[in-house]
Amino acid sequence: MEKFNDNNFCLILAGGKGKRLWPVSRENMPKQFLDFFSVGKTLLQQTYERMTKIVSPENILIATNRDFVSIVAVPKANILGEPVNRNTAPSVAWATCRVLHRNKDARLVVVPSDQMIMEEGNFEKDIQAGLDWVGMNDGLLTMGVKPTRPEPGYGY
């Protein structure tokens, strides 16, 4: 079994309402809790499993709306039930504080729960390289996907 770097942490953001995908996604069952691609796993489950190849499962945290805590299928110690919905930045800030209380040398990767990754090997390699870079530098690294078309729903 591969040994993980104990300083690596992952935050999966799973608190959204999935309003852009209504009516498929509903208020009581947003997209991250749906088997959107008919593969037998929810988007959140797929993201969690993908990240367990990079980060030790005990270092993977899921930030979600407190109304959804009961449907997140990971150990309760790994769930951050947000007391109020304040969107991405406050969620990441709150989780970062929680992670730094556990490990002052933590290297944190933040991912959405609804990613579709086609080339998982390349994704794993890129995330690991990013975590290594963060571990050697005093800085913040932002990684993204080059858009293929304008999409105002995502801010570009």
Side-chain angles (χ1 to χ4, degrees):
M1 181 176 198
E2 181 181 336
K3 171 71 172 121
F4 295 104
N5 184 320
D6 291 335
N7 292 336
N8 288 350
F9 284 78
C10 175
L11 172 65
I12 301 174
L13 299 171
K17 300 280 186 184
K19 290 181 179 179
R20 284 190 295 258
L21 291 178
W22 284 23
V24 174
S25 178
R26 302 306 289 167
E27 190 167 337
N28 64 339
M29 191 59 68
K31 65 184 176 198
Q32 62 267 32
F33 302 110
L34 299 176
D35 180 3
F36 199 75
F37 298 111
S38 300
V39 295
K41 296 177 183 166
T42 69
L43 292 173
L44 177 56
Q45 288 170 322
Q46 292 175 61
T47 300
Y48 179 83
E49 287 180 11
R50 183 178 310 116
M51 297 312 298
T52 61
K53 298 172 187 169
I54 306 166
V55 176
S56 176
E58 59 265 11
N59 287 355
I60 299 175
L61 304 174
I62 299 173
T64 192
N65 181 310
R66 66 179 169 197
D67 295 335
F68 303 141
V69 167
S70 64
I71 58 176
V72 176
V74 299
K76 296 302 180 203
N78 293 52
I79 302 172
L80 302 176
E82 300 170 341
V84 291
N85 289 352
R86 296 283 188 235
N87 293 322
T88 302
S91 180
V92 171
W94 180 54
T96 300
C97 288
R98 300 280 301 267
V99 167
L100 289 174
H101 278 115
R102 287 176 57 179
N103 181 328
K104 67 176 182 60
D105 297 318
R107 308 175 322 175
L108 177 65
V109 58
V110 179
V111 297
S113 59
D114 58 353
Q115 292 178 311
M116 184 174 121
I117 304 296
M118 300 300 288
E119 297 180 24
E120 288 199 16
N122 289 339
F123 175 81
E124 291 170 24
K125 186 172 55 175
D126 290 345
I127 295 297
Q128 188 59 56
L131 287 166
D132 291 343
W133 185 90
V134 169
M136 294 183 294
N137 295 276
D138 185 19
L140 172 69
L141 174 65
T142 302
M143 299 168 61
V145 176
K146 184 177 180 181
T148 58
R149 61 184 166 73
E151 179 51 62
Y154 294 111
Y156 54 86

